[in-house]
Amino acid sequence: MSLVLKRTGQKMPRVGFGLWKVTKPSCAETVYQAIKAGYRLLDGAGDYGNEKEAGEGVRRALAEGLVKREELFITSKLWNTFHAHDDVKKAAKMQLGLWGIEYFDLFLIHFPVALQYVDPSHRYPPEWWGDDGKVHFANIPMYETWKAMEELVDDGLVRNIGLSNCQGSLVLDILQSAKYEPQVLQIELHPLLSQEPLVNLCNVLGIAVTAYSSFGPQSYVELEMGQGVPSLLQHGVVSAIASAHGKTTAQVLLRWATQRGIAVIPKSNSVDRLVSNLQCDSFDLKEEELAQISSLNMNLRMNDPATIDPRMAIFA
């Protein structure tokens, strides 16, 4: 199952493998196993700090003939410290070098937040803070960064460009001057944060939506960001629906998104769960079941930069 991207017509798999929090020591093997299991979309980012290792896993799969490069859809993201026009291309080339590939299928602006440049030779990934532990902003408008992203397309470094963690007003603003429209918007999306107005906007505009954190608080417990919310994987409503279909709760949560045309990028270090997650499109939920899951919405956001600095309240 794929989503066809509007400008290029390129097919983006609806179920991909997310690389957030995949540890460096395990990343190469995990990526290799994901490809072996059938994953063709790999969702990475400079901020994840494991691009070199992910590339090693890709090269192993390519060398063994498990897959051809053109059969993979590799996504990465531009970090906040590289928003200045001239820094965008330098960062993209550096990240391609870490992956050991010639182009990204999709390159996203990770957050609509511009921070002061940090030389990668000094610290990479730069994260949110300067050496003094404080957040340092840069006066760089999004249209400047987007123009540089468009040049990556013209230079053949990137096939598609898009946004992440952006609200509708910013998407609409970028469209006013865009040479190439955003092809994808990646957002936190799960039954506790269903984001239906934003998804509807993207559907009208022809922008594909990718959901991250499909299991809600599950990804954030170890970061102490779960806000004390019970796991969706054990939620009574989700469990009952899973039992009715003979599926796992993870598969139901993923299908809730994919059945509505939203791509998902779950991560797992277990090969069995890798395979299970990939099979989430093997059944259909009833309309009333989709509605039941959607009714769990609390507008509960886990990933909010405002918790780091109130000046980064991008979702206010």
Side-chain angles (χ1 to χ4, degrees), residues 241 245 252 255-256 259 283-287 289-290:
I241 294 171
H245 287 272
V252 167
R255 188 60 179 142
W256 170 77
Q259 193 166 324
F283 68 103
D284 288 331
L285 297 170
K286 299 174 183 177
E287 286 300 319
E289 291 171 331
L290 290 170

Side-chain angles (χ1 to χ4, degrees), residues 67-237:
V67 70
K68 298 176 182 176
R69 170 65 185 95
E70 57 268 25
E71 294 170 336
L72 293 174
F73 191 101
I74 298 177
T75 299
S76 194
K77 306 178 189 77
L78 178 79
W79 187 242
N80 308 328
T81 52
F82 306 117
H83 276 213
H85 178 275
D86 293 346
D87 294 334
V88 172
K89 186 177 294 185
K90 287 188 289 186
K93 286 184 173 180
M94 175 188 67
Q95 291 174 245
L96 286 168
L98 289 170
W99 276 89
I101 56 178
E102 294 182 353
Y103 65 90
F104 288 124
D105 295 276
L106 176 64
F107 200 53
L108 306 174
I109 297 177
H110 204 151
F111 284 92
V113 175
L115 301 179
Q116 286 183 15
Y117 177 78
V118 176
D119 192 321
S121 66
H122 175 65
R123 186 174 68 248
Y124 188 81
E127 300 185 315
W128 294 92
W129 306 273
D131 291 344
D132 58 1
K134 297 178 181 178
V135 176
H136 298 278
F137 294 93
N139 293 323
I140 303 165
M142 277 287 279
Y143 72 79
E144 176 181 327
T145 308
W146 189 255
K147 185 177 186 298
M149 295 281 284
E150 292 174 330
E151 291 172 10
L152 298 180
V153 176
D154 290 334
D155 290 344
L157 299 173
V158 170
R159 298 279 172 89
N160 302 277
I161 51 177
L163 302 166
S164 182
N165 298 302
C166 289
Q167 297 297 81
S169 57
L170 194 49
V171 174
L172 292 169
D173 184 60
I174 285 175
L175 288 175
Q176 298 305 309
S177 60
K179 175 183 175 182
Y180 302 134
E181 297 180 356
Q183 295 293 284
V184 176
L185 174 65
Q186 185 174 128
I187 51 175
E188 179 182 345
L189 190 151
H190 45 76
L192 302 178
L193 182 68
S194 59
Q195 303 243 49
E196 289 179 20
L198 185 53
V199 172
N200 290 340
L201 174 65
C202 288
N203 288 341
V204 169
L205 296 173
I207 298 173
V209 175
T210 298
Y212 70 78
S213 300
S214 293
F215 305 142
Q218 184 71 20
S219 299
Y220 297 90
V221 173
E222 67 198 66
L223 303 177
E224 298 183 353
M225 294 166 60
Q227 301 188 42
V229 180
S231 172
L232 281 169
L233 295 171
Q234 280 85 46
H235 195 286
V237 169

Side-chain angles (χ1 to χ4, degrees), residues 202-313:
C202 288
N203 288 341
V204 169
L205 296 173
I207 298 173
V209 175
T210 298
Y212 70 78
S213 300
S214 293
F215 305 142
Q218 184 71 20
S219 299
Y220 297 90
V221 173
E222 67 198 66
L223 303 177
E224 298 183 353
M225 294 166 60
Q227 301 188 42
V229 180
S231 172
L232 281 169
L233 295 171
Q234 280 85 46
H235 195 286
V237 169
V238 181
S239 296
I241 294 171
S243 181
H245 287 272
K247 301 296 181 181
T248 67
T249 51
Q251 288 174 321
V252 167
L253 290 168
L254 295 171
R255 188 60 179 142
W256 170 77
T258 64
Q259 193 166 324
R260 295 179 299 129
I262 298 167
V264 293
I265 45 172
K267 149 198 159 325
S268 178
N269 290 314
S270 159
V271 175
D272 288 343
R273 285 199 295 271
L274 279 177
V275 174
S276 176
N277 289 342
L278 191 57
Q279 294 170 344
C280 69
D281 277 350
S282 64
F283 68 103
D284 288 331
L285 297 170
K286 299 174 183 177
E287 286 300 319
E288 56 265 33
E289 291 171 331
L290 290 170
Q292 273 184 292
I293 298 170
S294 295
S295 72
L296 301 177
N297 180 52
M298 301 165 54
N299 294 321
L300 183 68
R301 187 182 300 279
M302 309 288 172
N303 189 9
D304 188 349
T307 61
I308 297 171
D309 189 308
R311 294 172 295 173
M312 294 194 292

